[in-house]
Amino acid sequence: MEILYKSTRDSSKKVTASQAILQGLSDEGGLFFPERIPTFDKSLSELSKMDYREVAYEVMKLFLTDFTEEELKKCINNAYDSKFDCEEIVPLAEADGAYYIELFHGSTIAFKDMALSILPHLMTTAAKKNNVKNEIVILTATSGDTGKAALAGFDSVPGTRIVVFYPKGGVSFIQERQMVTQTGKNTCVVGINGNFDDAQTAVKKMFADEALKDELASRGFQFSSANSINIGRLVPQIAYYVFSYAKLLAEGKISDGEKINVVVPTGNFGNILAAYIAMNMGLPINKLICASNENKVLYDFFKTGTYDKNRDFSLTNSPSMDILISSNLERLIYVIAGEDAKRNASFMKDLSATGKYTIDDAMKSKLDCFYGGYATQEQTLERIAKLYDETGYVIDTHTGVASYVYEQYVKETNDMTKTVIASTASPFKFVGNVLKAIGQDFDGDDFAKCDKLSEVSGVSVPRAVEEIRNAKVLHDKVVDIDNMQDAVKAFLK
Ligand SMILES: *Cc1c(COP(=O)(O)O)cnc(C)c1O
């Protein structure tokens, strides 16, 4: 059955899945949401016999209904291949009574690879389907992680080019090395003299610049965005929750239909929203545990029903969760508002005008399946240390936030439901803080620290780190904010 996508702010806007992927955002600023959430057409026991690519197909085909079987399978096979450093794509590790689903075995050793390795293929397929002849140009501003994951995903994909801007001096050593050594004739990485917000604002301006759009169109190009509100990123993320359930079932850890809890270290609310959608498809989930760091807007929201971004912003040791506006939460608000686009739009208007909004009790009662918690930076490091001391298993700081919140949840509720924790980054990616947590930090560069972590954890240094250790710098351009547009034009010459 065909599924169309409606805007969360204007219900008269309805597009196909492929159009939603090409467009990213609806014209009036709404996000696309499926007009209904499909249910599985395979049993959990059938799914438990499948590998990752097969499960991904079974999930994605239900949402991307205007893609043919052949197209979708091709996208999946191109995405989840030897770019991942393990056969299983997402292994499940058991430690201290919980199951860590390791979403970090792709090119950039963080979970964004799960979606960004397939988005380019979904996008080029969607372009063909909609008779788009232009080459797609992805423009991205990054604070570190997304840029590299997008570069790796779009590297050498025919019909696409990608330009990434990052704040020179504002990203970690490993993050910068990952980006400036990026191969692929269709990739361009530019440092800017400014911070992330400057870069982001300039990129948004380019997207809205009609003259630039016309000039590029006349030369056969059009812009698109790879950011996390694209349903082409959301839908692939549903698959690994289904896969983790299927795997627990296959291994006899749970019985068919038994409910599980899911814990997700959360920033923009994309990853946990995918778990919420999986639950609404019929995946047996008891609680969705939303773990925040010190930027605990979401924790406060689940507690009080008020979303309020008016507060100090903290830079923490889980930087990919340092966010005060969780863009994907809008989709949840839309659902609990009874899919009333007008009502959702008015909350979002309040958010942009006053920085906050409050939902009513009826809406709040629909959030019973969520539990919000948070961890301070110290609590995060303590949790990493404790898990390591007791089990030898090392987790990164983002996963540390989730693990701490889960421990608190069990203390508070005594709920012994089997639990899956989304492990969103390799500990090697945040090696300095991880070594500090387990009492092994020393003065040295990040490569030396990775060697140390490998030694104490018994886990070999990931390929992603080895690859950049001796790689040549291929991008060394640094420009002022005012010259970003020229940098894009020069690359598209
Ligand atoms: C992006 C990111 C998150 C947050 O995910 P959201 O989908 O934005 O909630 C958590 N951990 C890591 C390592 C990330 O890169």
Side-chain angles (χ1 to χ4, degrees):
M1 241 189 307
E2 183 170 40
I3 290 198
L4 294 176
Y5 289 76
K6 285 206 278 201
S7 163
T8 54
R9 297 191 196 177
D10 179 352
S11 53
S12 71
K13 298 254 165 66
K14 253 193 207 185
V15 298
T16 62
S18 65
Q19 286 164 341
I21 289 170
L22 279 176
Q23 231 180 297
L25 208 65
S26 184
D27 294 332
E28 77 301 332
L31 313 191
F32 291 114
F33 199 77
E35 55 183 348
R36 71 198 142 72
I37 296 191
T39 51
F40 297 108
D41 63 3
K42 296 274 179 338
S43 69
L44 293 167
S45 127
E46 281 171 291
L47 292 167
S48 76
K49 295 178 184 73
M50 297 181 185
D51 69 15
Y52 190 75
R53 283 177 286 272
E54 289 166 333
V55 170
Y57 173 69
E58 290 303 325
V59 171
M60 291 176 66
K61 73 170 191 194
L62 300 171
F63 288 91
L64 308 183
T65 50
D66 67 334
F67 285 65
T68 65
E69 173 172 354
E70 192 194 346
E71 286 168 342
L72 195 51
K73 285 188 169 162
K74 203 166 146 201
C75 291
I76 289 169
N77 290 334
N78 278 327
Y80 306 117
D81 60 6
S82 59
K83 285 191 288 300
F84 284 75
D85 66 13
C86 71
E87 190 67 31
E88 288 166 294
I89 309 296
V90 286
L92 208 56
E94 187 174 357
D96 193 24
Y99 299 95
Y100 289 81
I101 177 142
E102 297 185 350
L103 304 173
F104 56 75
H105 289 273
S107 320
T108 75
I109 52 176
F111 102 96
K112 291 190 177 61
D113 291 328
M114 296 307 300
L116 281 165
S117 56
I118 193 164
L119 180 71
H121 303 288
L122 296 175
M123 226 174 226
T124 50
T125 309
K128 264 190 219 132
K129 223 176 239 319
N130 290 279
N131 286 317
V132 173
K133 298 281 189 298
N134 289 333
E135 210 167 309
I136 307 267
V137 181
I138 301 292
L139 278 193
T140 307
T142 185
S143 57
D145 271 351
T146 305
K148 175 61 193 187
L151 284 164
F154 282 90
D155 178 357
S156 304
V157 173
T160 70
R161 305 224 190 167
I162 174 164
V163 186
V164 170
F165 294 100
Y166 73 95
K168 182 77 190 167
V171 302
S172 80
F173 173 75
I174 294 247
Q175 284 173 329
E176 180 169 32
R177 289 283 304 185
Q178 280 189 322
M179 288 190 279
V180 299
T181 59
Q182 179 63 50
T183 56
K185 279 208 176 73
N186 65 334
T187 67
C188 172
V189 180
V190 182
I192 63 144
N193 296 313
N195 61 28
F196 169 67
D197 282 334
D198 298 331
Q200 177 86 324
T201 306
V203 163
K204 280 192 183 152
K205 247 196 214 144
M206 280 191 260
F207 275 121
D209 186 331
E210 292 296 331
L212 180 63
K213 214 185 258 179
D214 291 344
E215 186 187 332
L216 291 188
S218 73
R219 289 160 48 197
F221 296 110
Q222 73 183 57
F223 285 141
S224 193
S225 149
N227 71 24
S228 84
I229 48 88
N230 196 309
I231 63 137
R233 282 185 62 179
L234 187 59
V235 168
Q237 293 178 175
I238 302 168
Y240 47 74
Y241 291 107
V242 177
F243 181 71
S244 61
Y245 188 96
K247 196 148 163 176
L248 287 176
L249 185 56
E251 290 175 1
K253 311 280 190 194
I254 54 174
S255 55
D256 196 344
E258 182 176 340
K259 286 190 175 181
I260 61 167
N261 293 330
V262 172
V263 192
V264 186
T266 298
N268 216 6
F269 210 75
N271 200 2
I272 194 166
L273 186 78
Y276 176 74
I277 293 176
M279 183 181 86
N280 283 287
M281 292 175 76
L283 195 70
I285 290 179
N286 173 43
K287 282 278 179 206
L288 295 160
I289 300 173
C290 175
S292 301
N293 65 21
E294 287 161 10
N295 296 296
K296 58 182 182 58
V297 207
L298 289 165
Y299 166 81
D300 293 337
F301 169 69
F302 284 117
K303 200 141 209 106
T304 65
T306 296
Y307 190 92
D308 185 356
K309 75 164 181 89
N310 302 307
R311 60 182 74 206
D312 288 336
F313 175 76
S314 302
L315 285 171
T316 73
N317 55 21
S318 46
S320 304
M321 294 157 64
D322 291 342
I323 284 174
L324 291 181
I325 300 187
S326 301
S327 320
N328 268 299
L329 184 68
E330 175 169 347
R331 289 186 164 111
L332 179 66
I333 300 297
Y334 169 75
V335 171
I336 63 175
E339 311 208 349
D340 181 337
K342 267 216 187 85
R343 200 147 166 239
N344 173 64
S346 102
F347 287 123
M348 295 308 134
K349 213 168 131 203
D350 289 347
L351 181 63
S352 69
T354 66
K356 60 180 179 178
Y357 58 84
T358 302
I359 61 171
D360 65 21
D361 287 345
M363 283 173 72
K364 198 159 179 277
S365 70
K366 294 184 190 159
L367 297 178
D368 283 350
C369 54
F370 284 94
Y371 171 93
Y374 74 98
T376 65
Q377 299 191 65
E378 294 70 38
Q379 288 166 338
T380 303
L381 297 183
E382 279 162 27
R383 178 62 195 152
I384 295 170
K386 186 162 167 247
L387 190 65
Y388 173 67
D389 289 342
E390 286 172 7
T391 67
Y393 186 59
V394 184
I395 55 176
D396 97 294
T397 45
H398 303 77
T399 313
V401 169
S403 187
Y404 177 84
V405 167
Y406 175 59
E407 199 183 30
Q408 291 307 108
Y409 169 80
V410 173
K411 268 189 199 148
E412 205 177 288
T413 61
N414 284 317
D415 176 9
M416 295 317 287
T417 303
K418 307 260 174 43
T419 295
V420 167
I421 298 178
S423 184
T424 52
S426 160
F428 289 90
K429 189 149 196 181
F430 298 94
V431 66
N433 279 314
V434 170
L435 283 183
K436 195 168 118 193
I438 61 177
Q440 299 281 352
D441 200 20
F442 62 95
D443 266 344
D445 71 18
D446 277 4
F447 292 120
K449 290 185 184 183
C450 283
D451 292 335
K452 180 75 182 178
L453 180 58
S454 173
E455 189 189 309
V456 299
S457 66
V459 177
S460 44
V461 176
R463 202 175 61 196
V465 174
E466 292 301 355
E467 274 170 6
I468 57 169
R469 210 190 274 261
N470 297 308
K472 264 218 325 257
V473 172
L474 300 170
H475 308 266
D476 57 3
K477 197 166 183 169
V478 181
V479 303
D480 289 333
I481 309 286
D482 291 341
N483 295 328
M484 286 168 62
Q485 220 188 83
D486 291 337
V488 173
K489 285 185 191 167
F491 174 61
L492 298 179
K493 270 271 145 58

